[in-house]
Amino acid sequence: MRFIRLVGLVSLLCLGLVAVHSMGGKDPGAGGGAGNKPLVAVSILPQAYFVQRLAADRMEVLTLVGPGQSPHSYEPTPRQMADLSGAQAWFTVGGDFEAALLPKIASLYPRLQLVDTTRGIQYRSIEAHGHDDEDADHAGEEDNHDEAEDQDEADDRDPHVWLGRDSVKVQLGHILDGLVNLDPDGASVYKANHAAFVAEIDALFQDLSLDLAALRGKPVFVFHPAFGYFLDEFGILQEAVETGGKEPTQKALAALIDKAREEGATAIFVQAQFPAAAARSVAAAIGGAVVEIDPLALDWLDNLNRIAEALRRAAP
C-alpha cells in the first residue's frame, strides 16, 4: 500500500532527537534544556516534531502536554513552570489551557518570546450535534443573543489545527521565523529543513488523496472531533460522538446510532486522551469495533499514515 511507507532515515533520526530533547531524560512533559543549546517550549507533541524537523540538533525542546494528556484539560506541573523560566520562546497552538496560562507566563517571564503559530490559519467550524431539551436550554436566552454572538463564533472554531496540511504549513512558517530570530546563524539550516519538510508533507497528502479516494463523501465516526482538518483534505465527513467536551445526550446518541447503521459504519474511532464509554455504546449498537487512533502522537508524519490505514481498514 503506497501510503504505508518509510518516511526516511532523516525523519527517524529527527524523531529520536525529539524524544531525547523533549523528554529531558524523563518524559515529554518534563522537558528541560541542557548544555548551551537554546531551549524552546511547545504545547503539544506534534509541535515538538515540527520544531525538531526544522531545528535538527540546534535546539532543546520542552513539551508541556505529554502522552495521554489532553490540551483541553491540561495543567502545567511546578517543574514545567520552572523549566519555562529557562526557555527563550514558547510556540503556542491555541490550546484551551493556553488562554489561562499565557497571561501568567507573560507576567512571570517577560523575556520569554510568545510565538502564536496559529496566526493566519483559516479555521474550520467544528461539528456540532443537537441535544435533548434544546428548546428548553435556549428559553429566555434571546436577550443575551447579541452579547454571546462573538463568543459563539470563537467557540465554533475547530482548534485541532495540527492535523491539516495547510494549517500545519502556517505553523511551520511561524516556527521557522521564530527559530531564525533566536538563532540567526542557523537560518540556512532552518530554511533548508523547512523546505524539505513541506515537500515531504505535500508528497504524503498527494499519496493519501489517492489511497483514501474511496471514502470521499462518506462519514467517519469519531469520539472527539479532532480530525476535521485531516479529513477535509480528502472530502471525508467527520461525525462526532462527543462535542464541546460533553458526552452526548440519549437523544443525540440514538440519532448517531441510527446514522451509523444507515451508513454501514463498522468502527468508532477513539482517542486515549478521552473517556469513550459513549463510543463503546455506539459501537456495540451497530455491531462494530472501537478503534484507537491518536491525534497527538509524537511522530507526526508516521501518525498520519497510521490514521489513514485505520480509516481504510474500517471502511464499510
Side-chain angles (χ1 to χ4, degrees):
M1 198 173 303
R2 67 174 64 87
F3 64 77
I4 303 300
R5 72 190 198 280
L6 293 176
V7 295
L9 179 60
V10 172
S11 177
L12 293 177
L13 289 174
C14 286
L15 175 60
L17 288 167
V18 171
V20 170
H21 293 306
S22 96
M23 289 181 185
K26 296 182 180 180
D27 64 82
N36 297 320
K37 298 176 184 177
L39 174 67
V40 296
V42 297
S43 295
I44 58 175
L45 289 166
Q47 288 182 293
Y49 184 85
F50 299 159
V51 170
Q52 203 59 56
R53 285 302 304 263
L54 271 59
D57 61 350
R58 296 182 69 92
M59 296 280 170
E60 297 282 347
V61 181
L62 166 67
T63 306
L64 297 179
V65 182
Q69 296 178 313
S70 168
H72 295 285
S73 57
Y74 163 83
E75 293 184 4
T77 65
R79 166 67 185 275
Q80 289 174 327
M81 291 293 291
D83 286 341
L84 276 170
S85 69
Q88 295 191 22
W90 176 12
F91 296 106
T92 63
V93 73
D96 290 346
F97 78 92
E98 293 174 352
L101 187 58
L102 279 168
K104 181 177 182 180
I105 293 298
S107 175
L108 286 173
Y109 312 129
R111 302 172 101 182
L112 177 67
Q113 297 182 35
L114 302 176
V115 181
D116 178 7
T117 67
T118 68
R119 184 166 46 86
I121 284 178
Q122 296 296 311
Y123 281 90
R124 69 188 299 276
S125 296
I126 201 162
E127 292 80 0
H129 296 288
H131 297 281
D132 288 327
D133 303 322
E134 183 176 354
D135 293 339
D137 290 341
H138 291 286
E141 292 182 357
E142 289 80 359
D143 292 342
N144 299 323
H145 176 75
D146 292 338
E147 296 178 8
E149 186 172 354
D150 291 341
Q151 182 63 43
D152 288 343
E153 290 179 359
D155 291 343
D156 187 52
R157 297 194 312 179
D158 188 338
H160 308 92
V161 294
W162 59 89
L163 288 180
R165 172 163 55 174
D166 291 338
S167 55
V168 165
K169 286 182 181 180
V170 171
Q171 294 168 69
L172 291 176
H174 292 305
I175 292 172
L176 172 62
D177 292 342
L179 294 177
V180 171
N181 184 53
L182 291 175
D183 177 27
D185 290 343
S188 61
V189 173
Y190 304 141
K191 292 177 181 179
N193 288 345
H194 173 270
F197 188 28
V198 168
E200 194 170 351
I201 291 171
D202 285 336
L204 175 63
F205 273 88
Q206 184 175 356
D207 285 348
L208 295 183
S209 68
L210 298 176
D211 292 308
L212 297 176
L215 293 177
R216 180 170 292 276
K218 295 182 179 180
V220 167
F221 292 84
V222 302
F223 174 70
H224 181 73
F227 305 94
Y229 290 94
F230 178 74
L231 297 176
D232 283 354
E233 288 284 340
F234 315 109
I236 302 172
L237 309 178
Q238 178 174 249
E239 288 286 345
V241 175
E242 173 268 351
T243 57
K246 299 178 181 179
E247 295 264 346
T249 64
Q250 288 300 314
K251 181 178 179 181
L253 196 58
L256 192 67
I257 289 171
D258 288 342
K259 185 164 187 177
R261 285 174 174 161
E262 180 183 340
E263 297 291 342
T266 60
I268 304 294
F269 295 96
V270 302
Q271 296 97 285
Q273 294 82 12
F274 296 92
R280 286 191 290 271
S281 297
V282 176
I286 65 175
V290 173
V291 179
E292 184 171 313
I293 52 179
D294 186 359
L296 290 163
L298 176 61
D299 190 342
W300 185 79
L301 275 178
D302 181 67
N303 191 46
L304 294 190
N305 275 323
R306 291 176 181 272
I307 292 172
E309 172 69 358
L311 293 172
R312 187 182 178 281
R313 287 181 180 274

